């Protein structure tokens, strides 16, 4: 359920209900803070190690990877 490599970054949602974590395992995971449940795993074949995440007010998560790219992940109305 959790990351398979070290967590390198995290960002709390503006509503304080969700936590985004980025990892060297090349994924971003979204967690429900209250119950500690994994809600979603975000991955892409092109994504490299994630070194930064930012959870924005419009339910978009930005991730920065070692390949030098910034990616935007729109989660829609709910995480």
């Amino acid at each position: 359920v959790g990351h398979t490599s070290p967590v390198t970054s995290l960002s709390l949602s503006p509503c304080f209900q969700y936590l985004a974590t980025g990892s060297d395992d090349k994924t971003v995971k979204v967690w429900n803070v209250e119950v500690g449940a994994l809600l979603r795993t975000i991955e892409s074949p092109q994504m490299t190690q994630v070194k930064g995440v930012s959870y924005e007010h419009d339910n978009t998560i930005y991730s920065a990877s070692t390949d030098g790219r910034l990616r935007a992940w729109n989660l829609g109305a709910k995480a």
Side-chain angles (χ1 to χ4, degrees):
V1 167
H3 289 285
T4 58
S5 293
V7 172
T8 56
S9 57
L10 53 90
S11 180
L12 192 59
S13 68
C15 67
F16 304 108
Q17 293 181 329
Y18 308 108
L19 180 71
T21 56
S23 172
D24 281 347
D25 67 5
K26 304 177 185 178
T27 66
V28 174
K29 294 187 181 276
V30 181
W31 306 86
N32 177 299
V33 173
E34 186 175 336
V35 298
L38 176 65
L39 301 176
R40 181 176 297 188
T41 298
I42 301 168
E43 54 191 331
S44 168
Q46 297 84 19
M47 192 156 54
T48 58
Q49 296 170 318
V50 179
K51 296 301 182 181
V53 291
S54 179
Y55 207 127
E56 298 300 315
H57 70 316
D58 63 353
N59 250 2
T60 299
I61 294 175
Y62 292 93
S63 65
S65 304
T66 56
D67 62 1
R69 293 178 185 237
L70 179 67
R71 293 176 173 84
W73 309 96
N74 187 318
L75 302 181
K78 294 184 179 182

